[in-house]
Amino acid sequence: MTHTICALGFLFFLSLDLVSARHIPRGCHSHTSGSGSNSTVDPLSGIITAGSAPLATITNSSSSSCFPSADFIMPSSVPSSTDGWWCSADTEYAFLGFSYEVTACQSTSQLNKEFADIKHTFGSRYVRLYGACDRDGFYDDIVEAAWEVGLGVHALIWFGFDGTDQWMTRRDSLVSSLTSNPKAKFVTRGVQFGSEPLFDNVLPHSELASQVESLKSELIGVGIPVTVSELAYGYQERGGAQDVLDAIDFINIHMLPFFSTNATCGSAAWPLVVNDTNWFIQHGDGKKMYFDENGWPSVTSPSVQPNSDLAQASVTNEEGYFSMLDSHCEDLKKGPQGGIGWFAHIYSDNQEPGYGIYNTAGKKKFPFKPRTRC
């Protein structure tokens, strides 16, 4: 399918060429990238129409006195309220942190060590959970590690790929932790239904919207908003699933341009990023947006195959993709509610082969220090 790329100041229309990492079969030419370039793609300028849909519990705009800014000092005891706790939405753009796979049910010592690395080595503000650990009390371990180091968390209700209803137990367990652990509401930025429940046909979109509304009601007392972690294509192939977009509090977007039918190399992926971003801007009613499952693989595998003969999986292209995003910090800052924040998917190749910033030996695959503000 073909991209429709428009010129300055207009929306890019529906991108039906991005598919998930589980959609199988699927020389590199370059595009000019970076703010201030001569590129004909001006993806966000003039098209932002920020609506009146705030991200819940965002109250404080001072980066020096709000969580989880870099210089925020965690209190010695749990505050009585989240009033004034969270940083303003307009500070949450550029690089935010990592997707972090939890299927290994990491020990508390490993969580503490890796969360500290995520925070202090890379300047991260958040981790976005991926996968599931069904060990009793595991999310409480996440909360404790995040509290100790000063990281926020995008929690996840994992559906998985086996079509079972185990996600319901995971949902209920997470709700129990969020409503009983006194620290949970101070580190949990939001809860995601995921990953890619629309694309994977886990639930009809009307039922997914209903689940979102129900969970929002359960969490209203702790002020934790709810979203869905999904591809643009997952919405688009269901007529836009506007009921889901209307139900969620903020928009977590899977940005995986390697799987586009128009993909070439990571550094040239900006028009593909723009295309899907503008679809969400067009349909998202001004809600805050994040690229949560976001990256480019360094290797292929049976479940990670391109849909373009020109798409290249390599460390060079993985680095090129993130460098390209970083170079467009000023463009992404034009997004709704102060700009679009992005995560790197994923922390380590030990968590998901090919996507990690660290390789399986625990070494960085390339220099990685993207901007957290611009």
Side-chain angles (χ1 to χ4, degrees), residues 309-321:
D309 291 339
L310 298 177
Q312 301 178 5
S314 68
V315 171
T316 297
N317 279 291
E318 183 182 5
E319 179 181 13
Y321 177 73

Side-chain angles (χ1 to χ4, degrees), residues 108-228:
T108 55
S109 61
Q110 185 176 356
L111 290 173
N112 290 337
K113 176 183 177 182
E114 292 182 341
F115 280 19
D117 180 55
I118 287 169
K119 176 76 173 184
H120 299 302
T121 301
F122 301 98
S124 303
R125 288 164 278 176
Y126 290 97
V127 290
R128 174 254 175 176
L129 301 187
Y130 181 76
C133 171
D134 296 320
R135 186 179 77 216
D136 287 346
F138 181 73
Y139 191 72
D140 292 321
D141 293 342
I142 292 283
V143 167
E144 191 62 31
W147 174 274
E148 287 300 314
V149 76
L151 278 177
V153 179
H154 283 227
L156 181 70
I157 298 167
W158 179 253
F159 285 101
F161 313 121
D162 55 9
T164 68
D165 60 3
Q166 191 173 8
W167 65 271
M168 296 181 182
T169 302
R170 292 170 179 153
R171 175 200 59 199
D172 296 345
S173 176
L174 180 60
V175 168
S176 177
S177 180
L178 293 174
T179 55
S180 64
N181 186 326
K183 293 179 180 176
K185 65 182 179 182
F186 292 94
V187 299
T188 307
R189 188 52 144 167
V191 174
Q192 312 164 82
F193 280 102
S195 182
E196 299 174 4
L198 293 173
F199 182 84
D200 289 336
N201 294 303
V202 173
L203 295 172
H205 63 84
S206 60
E207 186 175 344
L208 180 59
S210 178
Q211 287 291 331
V212 169
E213 294 287 5
S214 177
L215 185 58
K216 285 165 62 174
S217 296
E218 290 192 73
L219 296 179
I220 193 169
V222 288
I224 297 173
V226 179
T227 189
V228 169

Side-chain angles (χ1 to χ4, degrees), residues 289-309:
M289 296 164 56
Y290 304 93
F291 299 162
D292 61 338
E293 191 161 327
N294 168 60
W296 190 283
S298 60
V299 297
T300 59
S301 65
S303 62
V304 177
Q305 294 293 319
N307 289 301
S308 164
D309 291 339

Side-chain angles (χ1 to χ4, degrees), residues 209-268:
S210 178
Q211 287 291 331
V212 169
E213 294 287 5
S214 177
L215 185 58
K216 285 165 62 174
S217 296
E218 290 192 73
L219 296 179
I220 193 169
V222 288
I224 297 173
V226 179
T227 189
V228 169
S229 183
E230 184 59 73
L231 294 155
Y233 184 78
Y235 287 96
Q236 292 163 358
E237 67 176 346
R238 283 154 186 81
Q242 191 64 45
D243 50 356
V244 177
L245 284 171
D246 291 342
I248 59 181
D249 291 310
F250 59 98
I251 302 174
N252 270 19
I253 301 166
H254 287 202
M255 193 60 71
L256 300 167
F258 174 75
F259 301 105
S260 168
T261 57
N262 291 329
T264 55
C265 58
S267 61

Side-chain angles (χ1 to χ4, degrees), residues 17 21 56 58 72-73 102 144 169 175 203 264 266 284 332 343 353 356:
D17 62 347
I58 296 177
F72 182 75
I73 299 174
V102 296
E144 191 62 31
T169 302
V175 168
L203 295 172
T264 55
L332 293 171
F343 292 83

